[in-house]
Amino acid sequence: MPTQTPIERYVALDLGSNSFHLLLAEFRGQRMVRLHTDRAMVRLAEGLNAHHHLDPAVSERALAALTRFQPVLQKLPADHIRVVGTNTLRAAAANADGFLEEAESILGVPVEIISGIEEARLIYSGVMAAADGPPRLRCIIDIGGGSTELVRGSEAPQQLQSLNMGCVSYSRRFFADGLISENTVNHFKRAQRAARAELQELQHIAAEAEVIGCSGSVKAVSRVLNGGEVADILREDINRLAEEVSQVEHIAELDLPNLDEERRPVFAAGLAILHAIFCELDIQRMEVSPYAIREGIVHDLAGRLHGGDRRASTVDAVVQRWQIDQNQVRRVNDTALKLLQQLRPEFPLEGRQRLRWAIQLHEVGLALTHSSFRKLGAYMIKHADMAGFSNGEQEHLAYLVRNQRGTIKPPKEHYGFHPSPDLLLCLRLACIIHRDRTERTLQGVNLADQGDAFRLQIARDWLDKSPAIEELLYQEEQHWQSQNRPLRLLAV
């Protein structure tokens, strides 16, 4: 009998600014099948104040939703689950350690905060999973609670944009008191003008492309216009609906067919943004996709486990673009991983991969400067749009690159960022051993953890062959005196 491919299940949880969405899916062959979906209308963005703190009541509402979702996650391995936070959690990240820690405690897996551009890439991946026919130019549009993503591409995304406008943030900004039109002030049209201003530099993103919308606001408008069904949105229909809504005095008075009551508080804002997109980008027809970011997350997860990790190809692209010395990468990588094997034979695979990527990128700053290459390289990595990476992952890589030599800069630890001294030590030692870009073996070199300190034991004849390296190692011993676990160099 032919061997059957085991069915693998995955969970994607999108912690959006308006709602939280859960997807449990599995792959049957190459086809993704959605097994279970769930949604909680949390409106997280409503709880974000001017100082980027989350309101306790909204946090409790969000945590209650996660508690409801938790049973779906508990039987799956952690690497088959991905929880991502988008616009509101991006804004609140510096002040949301408590909330994020509680969320992780409930779910059993960490929450990854992703950039707007990474959000756009995952949305594109999800929508394209349901796209029919041969590859062709498409423009994907997703109006979320706090941001709007637009992506232009064919087989792969060519232009990704994330704009700071969403149905919840615009509701707070333009319809805070529920008024849509009052006397001479039309809040709906003010919201439209603001959205069109955001789109000024993107007027060609939908040119000659098949336009596809996705997610809550687009689907809500589609249902109102199409008798409760999710179908194409036509320009003349949305023009008529926008004019009708703009004449209503208060959100409570919206009397529209097939409008979900949960969607009512943010419908006017979502419609204003969508109509502005139609007008500013000159769209005549928009298809509506049943898929969005959640399906993109599932495809990304499956890729990571089966040799298609987007992060690896992103790092390779950076290496090629900045012409990083591949021979030096190989030397440092081989030595650092051997040292880590001596120090921590059971170190987690994800940590080993993080070390590899940091080593591949550790000299990226040399493309632009020599004197400050570590600082510049770290800045580039932390702030670049690196497809596949969460903000936290980039911060970890940037920390390693920044501290590959010299004084160790104390990390400002926070949720999701607790740098490993093991990885840092192995990277720094490997960089010292190959500082002159020559091959050296580790025969006679041993790195161990003595509990209260790291111990680097090196054969005397090994050191005698490399006096400059010996001096650098003694300097390294001094650099670690200020750390929780110092380094002790022993020549034998």
Short mmCIF file of all heavy atoms in Angstrom, two decimals, residues 213-255:
data_model
loop_
_atom_site.label_atom_id
_atom_site.label_comp_id
_atom_site.label_asym_id
_atom_site.label_seq_id
_atom_site.Cartn_x
_atom_site.Cartn_y
_atom_site.Cartn_z
N GLY A 213 -10.60 42.89 -2.62
CA GLY A 213 -10.68 43.34 -1.24
C GLY A 213 -10.89 42.17 -0.30
O GLY A 213 -11.33 41.09 -0.72
N CYS A 214 -10.55 42.36 0.97
CA CYS A 214 -10.74 41.28 1.94
C CYS A 214 -10.96 41.86 3.33
O CYS A 214 -10.79 43.05 3.56
CB CYS A 214 -9.54 40.33 1.93
SG CYS A 214 -7.96 41.09 2.39
N SER A 215 -11.35 40.99 4.25
CA SER A 215 -11.57 41.29 5.67
C SER A 215 -12.88 42.03 5.94
O SER A 215 -13.67 42.30 5.04
CB SER A 215 -10.37 42.03 6.26
OG SER A 215 -9.24 41.18 6.25
N GLY A 216 -13.06 42.41 7.23
CA GLY A 216 -14.37 42.80 7.74
C GLY A 216 -15.06 43.96 7.08
O GLY A 216 -16.23 43.86 6.69
N SER A 217 -14.39 45.11 6.95
CA SER A 217 -15.06 46.29 6.39
C SER A 217 -15.49 46.06 4.95
O SER A 217 -16.59 46.44 4.54
CB SER A 217 -14.14 47.52 6.48
OG SER A 217 -14.04 47.97 7.80
N VAL A 218 -14.61 45.45 4.16
CA VAL A 218 -14.94 45.18 2.76
C VAL A 218 -16.12 44.20 2.67
O VAL A 218 -17.06 44.40 1.88
CB VAL A 218 -13.71 44.62 2.01
CG1 VAL A 218 -14.09 44.14 0.62
CG2 VAL A 218 -12.62 45.68 1.92
N LYS A 219 -16.08 43.15 3.47
CA LYS A 219 -17.17 42.17 3.45
C LYS A 219 -18.49 42.79 3.92
O LYS A 219 -19.57 42.47 3.38
CB LYS A 219 -16.81 40.97 4.32
CG LYS A 219 -15.74 40.07 3.72
CD LYS A 219 -15.46 38.90 4.64
CE LYS A 219 -14.42 37.97 4.07
NZ LYS A 219 -14.12 36.84 4.97
N ALA A 220 -18.42 43.66 4.93
CA ALA A 220 -19.65 44.30 5.44
C ALA A 220 -20.30 45.15 4.36
O ALA A 220 -21.53 45.10 4.17
CB ALA A 220 -19.31 45.15 6.67
N VAL A 221 -19.50 45.93 3.64
CA VAL A 221 -20.03 46.76 2.55
C VAL A 221 -20.60 45.86 1.46
O VAL A 221 -21.69 46.12 0.91
CB VAL A 221 -18.94 47.69 1.98
CG1 VAL A 221 -19.44 48.40 0.72
CG2 VAL A 221 -18.53 48.72 3.04
N SER A 222 -19.89 44.79 1.14
CA SER A 222 -20.35 43.86 0.11
C SER A 222 -21.71 43.26 0.46
O SER A 222 -22.60 43.17 -0.39
CB SER A 222 -19.32 42.75 -0.10
OG SER A 222 -19.77 41.82 -1.05
N ARG A 223 -21.87 42.87 1.70
CA ARG A 223 -23.16 42.26 2.10
C ARG A 223 -24.30 43.27 2.03
O ARG A 223 -25.42 42.93 1.62
CB ARG A 223 -23.04 41.69 3.51
CG ARG A 223 -22.17 40.45 3.60
CD ARG A 223 -22.29 39.79 4.97
NE ARG A 223 -21.46 38.59 5.05
CZ ARG A 223 -20.25 38.54 5.58
NH1 ARG A 223 -19.72 39.66 6.11
NH2 ARG A 223 -19.57 37.43 5.61
N VAL A 224 -24.04 44.50 2.44
CA VAL A 224 -25.08 45.53 2.36
C VAL A 224 -25.49 45.77 0.91
O VAL A 224 -26.67 45.96 0.60
CB VAL A 224 -24.58 46.84 3.01
CG1 VAL A 224 -25.52 48.00 2.68
CG2 VAL A 224 -24.46 46.67 4.52
N LEU A 225 -24.53 45.72 0.01
CA LEU A 225 -24.81 46.02 -1.40
C LEU A 225 -25.34 44.83 -2.19
O LEU A 225 -25.92 45.00 -3.27
CB LEU A 225 -23.54 46.54 -2.09
CG LEU A 225 -23.03 47.89 -1.63
CD1 LEU A 225 -21.71 48.22 -2.31
CD2 LEU A 225 -24.05 48.98 -1.93
N ASN A 226 -25.14 43.61 -1.67
CA ASN A 226 -25.45 42.42 -2.47
C ASN A 226 -26.41 41.46 -1.77
O ASN A 226 -26.27 40.24 -1.88
CB ASN A 226 -24.15 41.68 -2.82
CG ASN A 226 -23.25 42.49 -3.73
OD1 ASN A 226 -23.59 42.77 -4.88
ND2 ASN A 226 -22.08 42.88 -3.22
N GLY A 227 -27.37 42.02 -1.06
CA GLY A 227 -28.42 41.20 -0.48
C GLY A 227 -27.93 40.18 0.53
O GLY A 227 -28.49 39.08 0.64
N GLY A 228 -26.89 40.52 1.28
CA GLY A 228 -26.38 39.62 2.30
C GLY A 228 -25.29 38.69 1.82
O GLY A 228 -24.68 37.99 2.63
N GLU A 229 -25.04 38.67 0.51
CA GLU A 229 -24.01 37.81 -0.04
C GLU A 229 -22.69 38.58 -0.16
O GLU A 229 -22.67 39.80 -0.33
CB GLU A 229 -24.42 37.31 -1.44
CG GLU A 229 -25.69 36.47 -1.44
CD GLU A 229 -25.51 35.17 -0.66
OE1 GLU A 229 -24.42 34.57 -0.75
OE2 GLU A 229 -26.46 34.76 0.04
N VAL A 230 -21.57 37.83 -0.09
CA VAL A 230 -20.26 38.44 -0.33
C VAL A 230 -19.97 38.31 -1.81
O VAL A 230 -19.67 37.22 -2.31
CB VAL A 230 -19.16 37.76 0.51
CG1 VAL A 230 -17.79 38.32 0.14
CG2 VAL A 230 -19.43 37.95 2.00
N ALA A 231 -20.09 39.41 -2.52
CA ALA A 231 -19.91 39.43 -3.97
C ALA A 231 -19.18 40.71 -4.37
O ALA A 231 -18.84 41.54 -3.52
CB ALA A 231 -21.28 39.34 -4.67
N ASP A 232 -18.95 40.88 -5.67
CA ASP A 232 -18.20 42.04 -6.16
C ASP A 232 -18.85 43.35 -5.73
O ASP A 232 -20.09 43.45 -5.61
CB ASP A 232 -18.13 42.02 -7.69
CG ASP A 232 -17.29 40.87 -8.21
OD1 ASP A 232 -16.78 40.09 -7.39
OD2 ASP A 232 -17.16 40.74 -9.44
N ILE A 233 -18.03 44.35 -5.51
CA ILE A 233 -18.50 45.71 -5.21
C ILE A 233 -18.27 46.57 -6.45
O ILE A 233 -17.15 46.63 -6.96
CB ILE A 233 -17.73 46.31 -4.01
CG1 ILE A 233 -17.94 45.44 -2.77
CG2 ILE A 233 -18.19 47.74 -3.74
CD1 ILE A 233 -17.07 45.84 -1.58
N LEU A 234 -19.32 47.20 -6.93
CA LEU A 234 -19.24 48.04 -8.12
C LEU A 234 -19.15 49.51 -7.73
O LEU A 234 -19.75 49.93 -6.73
CB LEU A 234 -20.43 47.81 -9.03
CG LEU A 234 -20.68 46.36 -9.49
CD1 LEU A 234 -21.90 46.29 -10.40
CD2 LEU A 234 -19.45 45.81 -10.20
N ARG A 235 -18.48 50.29 -8.56
CA ARG A 235 -18.27 51.71 -8.27
C ARG A 235 -19.58 52.46 -8.12
O ARG A 235 -19.77 53.23 -7.17
CB ARG A 235 -17.42 52.33 -9.40
CG ARG A 235 -17.20 53.84 -9.30
CD ARG A 235 -16.24 54.21 -8.15
NE ARG A 235 -15.82 55.59 -8.25
CZ ARG A 235 -14.74 56.00 -8.91
NH1 ARG A 235 -13.96 55.13 -9.54
NH2 ARG A 235 -14.41 57.27 -8.95
N GLU A 236 -20.51 52.24 -9.03
CA GLU A 236 -21.78 52.99 -8.96
C GLU A 236 -22.56 52.63 -7.69
O GLU A 236 -23.25 53.48 -7.11
CB GLU A 236 -22.64 52.74 -10.20
CG GLU A 236 -22.98 51.30 -10.51
CD GLU A 236 -21.99 50.66 -11.48
OE1 GLU A 236 -20.81 51.06 -11.49
OE2 GLU A 236 -22.41 49.75 -12.24
N ASP A 237 -22.44 51.38 -7.24
CA ASP A 237 -23.16 50.96 -6.04
C ASP A 237 -22.56 51.59 -4.78
O ASP A 237 -23.29 52.06 -3.91
CB ASP A 237 -23.14 49.44 -5.92
CG ASP A 237 -23.96 48.75 -7.00
OD1 ASP A 237 -24.83 49.43 -7.59
OD2 ASP A 237 -23.71 47.56 -7.26
N ILE A 238 -21.23 51.59 -4.68
CA ILE A 238 -20.62 52.16 -3.49
C ILE A 238 -20.75 53.68 -3.50
O ILE A 238 -20.86 54.31 -2.43
CB ILE A 238 -19.15 51.71 -3.34
CG1 ILE A 238 -18.68 52.00 -1.89
CG2 ILE A 238 -18.24 52.37 -4.35
CD1 ILE A 238 -17.31 51.41 -1.57
N ASN A 239 -20.79 54.30 -4.68
CA ASN A 239 -21.06 55.75 -4.75
C ASN A 239 -22.42 56.06 -4.12
O ASN A 239 -22.55 57.00 -3.32
CB ASN A 239 -21.06 56.22 -6.20
CG ASN A 239 -19.67 56.32 -6.80
OD1 ASN A 239 -18.67 56.26 -6.09
ND2 ASN A 239 -19.59 56.48 -8.11
N ARG A 240 -23.40 55.27 -4.49
CA ARG A 240 -24.75 55.50 -4.00
C ARG A 240 -24.83 55.27 -2.49
O ARG A 240 -25.44 56.05 -1.75
CB ARG A 240 -25.72 54.56 -4.73
CG ARG A 240 -27.20 54.79 -4.38
CD ARG A 240 -28.12 53.90 -5.16
NE ARG A 240 -27.91 52.48 -4.86
CZ ARG A 240 -27.29 51.62 -5.66
NH1 ARG A 240 -26.81 52.01 -6.82
NH2 ARG A 240 -27.16 50.35 -5.30
N LEU A 241 -24.20 54.20 -2.01
CA LEU A 241 -24.23 53.89 -0.58
C LEU A 241 -23.51 54.98 0.22
O LEU A 241 -23.98 55.39 1.29
CB LEU A 241 -23.58 52.53 -0.33
CG LEU A 241 -23.52 52.07 1.13
CD1 LEU A 241 -24.91 51.94 1.72
CD2 LEU A 241 -22.76 50.74 1.24
N ALA A 242 -22.36 55.44 -0.28
CA ALA A 242 -21.61 56.48 0.43
C ALA A 242 -22.43 57.75 0.55
O ALA A 242 -22.44 58.40 1.62
CB ALA A 242 -20.30 56.76 -0.29
N GLU A 243 -23.13 58.12 -0.51
CA GLU A 243 -23.95 59.33 -0.46
C GLU A 243 -25.10 59.16 0.53
O GLU A 243 -25.43 60.08 1.30
CB GLU A 243 -24.50 59.63 -1.86
CG GLU A 243 -25.34 60.91 -1.95
CD GLU A 243 -24.55 62.16 -1.53
OE1 GLU A 243 -23.31 62.17 -1.71
OE2 GLU A 243 -25.19 63.11 -1.02
N GLU A 244 -25.69 57.97 0.55
CA GLU A 244 -26.80 57.70 1.48
C GLU A 244 -26.33 57.78 2.93
O GLU A 244 -26.97 58.44 3.77
CB GLU A 244 -27.36 56.30 1.19
CG GLU A 244 -28.50 55.89 2.11
CD GLU A 244 -28.98 54.47 1.85
OE1 GLU A 244 -28.63 53.90 0.80
OE2 GLU A 244 -29.68 53.93 2.73
N VAL A 245 -25.21 57.16 3.23
CA VAL A 245 -24.71 57.15 4.61
C VAL A 245 -24.28 58.55 5.04
O VAL A 245 -24.48 58.95 6.19
CB VAL A 245 -23.55 56.14 4.75
CG1 VAL A 245 -22.85 56.29 6.10
CG2 VAL A 245 -24.07 54.72 4.59
N SER A 246 -23.71 59.32 4.11
CA SER A 246 -23.23 60.66 4.47
C SER A 246 -24.35 61.59 4.87
O SER A 246 -24.12 62.62 5.52
CB SER A 246 -22.45 61.27 3.30
OG SER A 246 -23.31 61.64 2.24
N GLN A 247 -25.60 61.26 4.51
CA GLN A 247 -26.74 62.11 4.85
C GLN A 247 -27.41 61.73 6.16
O GLN A 247 -28.29 62.44 6.65
CB GLN A 247 -27.77 62.06 3.72
CG GLN A 247 -27.25 62.51 2.36
CD GLN A 247 -26.59 63.88 2.42
OE1 GLN A 247 -27.16 64.83 2.97
NE2 GLN A 247 -25.39 63.98 1.85
N VAL A 248 -26.98 60.60 6.74
CA VAL A 248 -27.56 60.16 8.01
C VAL A 248 -26.95 60.98 9.15
O VAL A 248 -25.75 61.27 9.15
CB VAL A 248 -27.30 58.65 8.23
CG1 VAL A 248 -27.78 58.21 9.61
CG2 VAL A 248 -27.97 57.83 7.14
N GLU A 249 -27.76 61.34 10.11
CA GLU A 249 -27.27 62.21 11.19
C GLU A 249 -26.43 61.45 12.21
O GLU A 249 -25.40 61.94 12.65
CB GLU A 249 -28.44 62.88 11.91
CG GLU A 249 -27.99 63.87 12.98
CD GLU A 249 -29.15 64.65 13.60
OE1 GLU A 249 -30.19 64.78 12.93
OE2 GLU A 249 -29.00 65.10 14.74
N HIS A 250 -26.86 60.23 12.57
CA HIS A 250 -26.19 59.51 13.65
C HIS A 250 -26.04 58.04 13.26
O HIS A 250 -26.89 57.47 12.57
CB HIS A 250 -27.00 59.62 14.94
CG HIS A 250 -26.22 59.26 16.18
ND1 HIS A 250 -26.05 57.95 16.59
CD2 HIS A 250 -25.57 60.03 17.10
CE1 HIS A 250 -25.33 57.93 17.70
NE2 HIS A 250 -25.04 59.17 18.04
N ILE A 251 -24.96 57.43 13.74
CA ILE A 251 -24.70 56.01 13.44
C ILE A 251 -25.87 55.13 13.87
O ILE A 251 -26.21 54.15 13.19
CB ILE A 251 -23.39 55.57 14.13
CG1 ILE A 251 -22.19 56.13 13.36
CG2 ILE A 251 -23.29 54.06 14.24
CD1 ILE A 251 -20.85 55.93 14.04
N ALA A 252 -26.48 55.47 14.97
CA ALA A 252 -27.62 54.67 15.46
C ALA A 252 -28.78 54.66 14.48
O ALA A 252 -29.64 53.77 14.53
CB ALA A 252 -28.08 55.20 16.82
N GLU A 253 -28.83 55.65 13.58
CA GLU A 253 -29.92 55.76 12.63
C GLU A 253 -29.64 55.04 11.31
O GLU A 253 -30.48 55.07 10.40
CB GLU A 253 -30.22 57.23 12.34
CG GLU A 253 -30.67 58.00 13.58
CD GLU A 253 -30.78 59.50 13.30
OE1 GLU A 253 -30.70 59.90 12.13
OE2 GLU A 253 -30.92 60.25 14.27
N LEU A 254 -28.48 54.42 11.19
CA LEU A 254 -28.18 53.69 9.96
C LEU A 254 -29.17 52.54 9.79
O LEU A 254 -29.27 51.64 10.63
CB LEU A 254 -26.75 53.11 10.02
CG LEU A 254 -25.59 54.08 9.79
CD1 LEU A 254 -24.27 53.36 10.00
CD2 LEU A 254 -25.66 54.68 8.38
N ASP A 255 -29.94 52.60 8.72
CA ASP A 255 -30.94 51.57 8.44
C ASP A 255 -30.58 50.91 7.12
O ASP A 255 -31.10 51.27 6.06
CB ASP A 255 -32.34 52.20 8.38
CG ASP A 255 -33.43 51.16 8.18
OD1 ASP A 255 -33.15 49.97 8.43
OD2 ASP A 255 -34.53 51.52 7.75
#
